[in-house]
Amino acid sequence: MRSRRSILFIEQFYYPEGWGGAQLPRDITACLASHGWQVDVVCGSDQYAPLEGNPGPDPATVGIRIRRVPRLFAGDIHHRKLFRQLWFYLAAVPILLFARRPDVFVTQTNPPLAVPLTALAALVRRRPFVIIAQDVYPEILFAHGMLRRDRQPGRALASIFRWSYRRAAAVVSLGKTMTDRLQEKGVIPDRIETIANWATGSEALVRGEENRLRGPWCLDGRFVVLYSGNLGIAHDVATPIEAMRQAARANPNIVLVFVGKGSRLKEAQELAERSSLDEFVKFFGYVPAEMLPHSLGVADVALVTLQPGFEGLVVPSKALGYLARGVPTLYIGPESDVQEFVKSGGGLCFNNGDIEGLAQALIDLAGSHDRLRTMSETGEAYYRSALDRSIGLDRYRALLERIVAE
């Protein structure tokens, strides 16, 4: 009788965790465990988006063994971030090298250097490994200007990651544009597997009088444009806020609501303040997981944005969350994978800086319930047919079974 197949999965944030990017590996590992795999997960003890209330079923109850790196610092995960990541790398090395040897290693790209560490461990232990490219490093650092491609540190980091990606038995890409980026890194096309992310958390929506946030957030009677999730280096905050200045003059019932945090939150708040948009642009922190149906339920339309230069390097999963729940979706950014998702789901797409076009679209949509209903139905139908969680999980399971068999 064949022994159980085994996997060692590396991701800094796992369970319990409110961040959607950490719920994806929870879905993948739980699926594998339910199909008889022996699953070990290496993760940290910090939470990126701490949950209030019930975090959902513990993966350990389905047989997943969770190996947590002890917490180095207390407090906000964004403080001393570099030291937290370095500690994770150091503490993860002995687990990767000396834990029971799996049939396959799998790593996401968070934290980034987990990729070369896993590549090295797989080489030493003579096992295949798979990279799930949620982000493409170090190209993200080059796009942001944090690192120069033509300087020695940038060249060295690029070489390390190029070696890691080329050694991988498979690299999971989130879409066509990301696939192009991976091929530029030297990944053999036959080793690239395209599997889109999916919506995480409850897909229910609570609207109308039953919504517990519309009243406290002073949104009753307003047409709500929602941005939900991380406001990071790859996201455009200027275009939607500038567009709101024009849209609000034509229709003062339109309001832009940001729910979340991130490195560009302060920039967004300062821009709204300078534009005297306090009444038309509101900011709220992350909500508990059980309140997600309410926070997404305030939206009449939802936004996903991407800065030029980041296309194919990151694919904001918030777009899939909107589509799955039938929330009409608007995309601001360059041609990219997320643009393809939004277009296919009946949403509207705008270039960065197209302030007049976005403002006019908001004004038009605020007065067209029929168009909003059509966008909602189209988006949800597209998600169910092409991007549903079950589709992605089946593809992950088939990919890993093939790699282990080979």
Side-chain angles (χ1 to χ4, degrees):
M1 183 177 178
R2 186 179 66 176
S3 61
R4 294 174 67 192
R5 294 153 297 183
S6 60
I7 179 176
L8 183 61
F9 200 110
I10 301 92
E11 160 62 45
Q12 186 177 8
F13 304 108
Y14 187 64
Y15 174 91
E17 177 60 64
W19 176 50
Q23 294 178 39
L24 291 162
R26 192 195 311 182
D27 288 345
I28 295 168
T29 51
C31 172
L32 293 173
S34 70
H35 284 84
W37 284 66
Q38 185 173 284
V39 181
D40 287 73
V41 175
V42 179
C43 62
S45 297
D46 290 313
Q47 289 179 262
Y48 185 84
L51 277 173
E52 298 176 20
N54 181 14
D58 188 338
T61 60
V62 294
I64 296 173
R65 182 158 62 170
I66 305 174
R67 297 173 172 270
R68 297 192 188 279
V69 169
R71 182 177 285 108
L72 182 62
F73 301 111
D76 190 338
I77 183 66
H78 300 287
H79 296 158
R80 300 173 176 171
K81 185 175 180 179
L82 178 59
F83 290 104
R84 293 174 191 268
Q85 288 190 1
L86 290 174
W87 169 243
F88 181 84
Y89 301 139
L90 290 172
V93 166
I95 302 175
L96 293 174
L97 293 178
F98 301 112
R100 63 187 178 194
R101 189 169 66 159
D103 291 318
V104 60
F105 290 88
V106 177
T107 181
Q108 291 205 141
T109 47
N110 185 54
L113 289 180
V115 172
L117 284 179
T118 305
L120 182 60
L123 176 63
V124 170
R125 306 194 72 180
R126 302 177 66 183
R127 283 292 187 263
F129 79 103
V130 175
I131 300 169
I132 301 177
Q134 297 290 351
D135 311 284
V136 181
Y137 283 93
E139 285 75 9
I140 281 183
L141 304 180
F142 299 151
H144 185 251
M146 298 171 66
L147 205 61
R148 290 277 298 273
R149 190 187 298 269
D150 58 349
R151 297 289 177 84
Q152 184 58 38
R155 288 197 298 267
L157 200 58
S159 296
I160 291 170
F161 274 91
R162 190 180 303 112
W163 172 82
S164 304
Y165 273 83
R166 287 177 173 176
R167 278 201 55 82
V171 179
V172 175
S173 166
L174 305 184
K176 296 176 183 177
T177 309
M178 180 176 281
T179 294
D180 293 339
R181 295 279 199 169
L182 294 172
Q183 290 183 15
E184 290 171 6
K185 293 175 75 70
V187 182
I188 299 171
D190 288 348
R191 293 187 182 180
I192 300 175
E193 188 82 13
T194 302
I195 306 175
N197 285 342
W198 49 84
T200 57
S202 169
E203 294 180 9
L205 282 184
V206 180
R207 295 191 177 276
E209 295 181 356
E210 295 181 357
N211 188 289
R212 290 158 53 188
L213 295 177
R214 265 195 172 267
W217 286 359
C218 300
L219 300 176
D220 288 331
R222 308 292 295 272
F223 181 83
V224 179
V225 183
L226 176 70
Y227 183 103
S228 178
N230 182 46
L231 274 169
I233 60 173
H235 303 116
D236 180 353
V237 298
T239 301
I241 292 176
E242 291 292 345
M244 270 304 303
R245 183 160 50 181
Q246 293 192 20
R249 284 200 294 264
N251 185 342
N253 281 330
I254 300 175
V255 60
L256 173 60
V257 176
F258 289 94
V259 179
K261 295 181 180 180
S263 58
R264 306 198 73 169
L265 174 61
K266 186 176 180 182
E267 175 188 343
Q269 291 172 326
E270 291 175 349
L271 180 58
E273 184 178 354
R274 288 198 304 269
S275 301
S276 301
L277 291 172
D278 292 350
E279 185 182 346
F280 303 102
V281 181
K282 299 176 180 288
F283 297 90
F284 302 98
Y286 285 113
V287 300
E290 60 268 24
M291 290 300 292
L292 189 63
H294 294 264
S295 66
L296 292 175
V298 304
D300 292 290
V301 298
L303 286 178
V304 55
T305 72
L306 197 63
Q307 289 275 50
F310 287 90
E311 59 271 24
L313 303 181
V314 58
V315 182
S317 292
K318 57 175 64 67
L320 309 178
Y322 301 151
L323 295 173
R325 296 167 175 87
V327 179
T329 305
L330 311 182
Y331 168 72
I332 303 165
E335 185 175 340
S336 67
D337 295 316
V338 69
Q339 181 192 59
E340 182 66 26
F341 295 147
V342 172
K343 273 187 177 180
S344 299
L348 304 179
C349 300
F350 305 87
N351 293 327
N352 302 96
D354 185 6
I355 294 167
E356 291 185 1
L358 177 61
Q360 188 60 53
L362 296 178
I363 295 166
D364 293 343
L365 289 171
S368 180
H369 295 295
D370 289 343
R371 191 176 181 189
L372 289 172
R373 183 170 58 252
T374 299
M375 291 172 67
S376 171
E377 293 171 353
T378 303
E380 187 172 0
Y382 167 67
Y383 177 84
R384 297 298 167 210
S385 65
L387 303 170
D388 193 77
R389 178 190 284 109
S390 61
I391 297 172
L393 290 176
D394 285 346
R395 289 177 178 170
Y396 271 108
R397 187 161 61 90
L399 170 65
L400 294 170
E401 287 177 347
R402 173 172 60 80
I403 288 173
V404 170
E406 290 174 352

